[in-house]
Amino acid sequence: MKYAMPTFTLSGNLVYFAGFRNHVGFYGTPKGNAAFQNELSAYKQGKGSIQFPLTQPMPLDLIARMVTLRVEENGDKVAKPKTRKP
């Protein structure tokens, strides 16, 4: 749990999600949203958030690809440790 929401983590936070009255909120970070901008255009969005309406099927393939992108990004962070300033 992070930010009072269920959170998937792997070498850091991947994605968050939460259920609301009319939608499922999915939070894949702003960078994740930008990579799938065209496919997400049908959904209400905020900075780093997407609202999937409960009246439509969840786009599971799209969500899986977004999570895969986040896994790759977190893997890059582990592979490239931060350097400290002198």
Side-chain angles (χ1 to χ4, degrees):
M1 296 287 287
K2 306 271 176 122
Y3 306 106
M5 291 185 281
T7 305
F8 287 99
T9 63
L10 180 66
S11 302
N13 297 335
L14 292 175
V15 296
Y16 314 84
F17 63 95
F20 297 94
R21 174 184 259 184
N22 297 313
H23 70 275
V24 172
F26 183 79
Y27 309 88
T29 75
K31 192 173 182 179
N33 289 11
F36 298 95
Q37 186 174 2
N38 290 341
E39 293 170 272
L40 293 172
S41 64
Y43 302 102
K44 185 174 179 180
Q45 299 178 57
K47 183 179 179 183
S49 68
I50 306 153
Q51 293 183 6
F52 296 119
L54 295 178
T55 57
Q56 299 174 8
M58 293 284 291
L60 300 179
D61 179 62
L62 174 59
I63 293 169
R65 288 185 286 127
M66 292 178 74
V67 172
T68 298
L69 172 71
R70 293 292 299 128
V71 168
E72 291 169 2
E73 289 175 346
N74 281 8
D76 289 345
K77 282 193 270 184
V78 172
K80 299 176 188 175
K82 292 181 180 178
T83 57
R84 296 185 184 261
K85 294 181 181 180

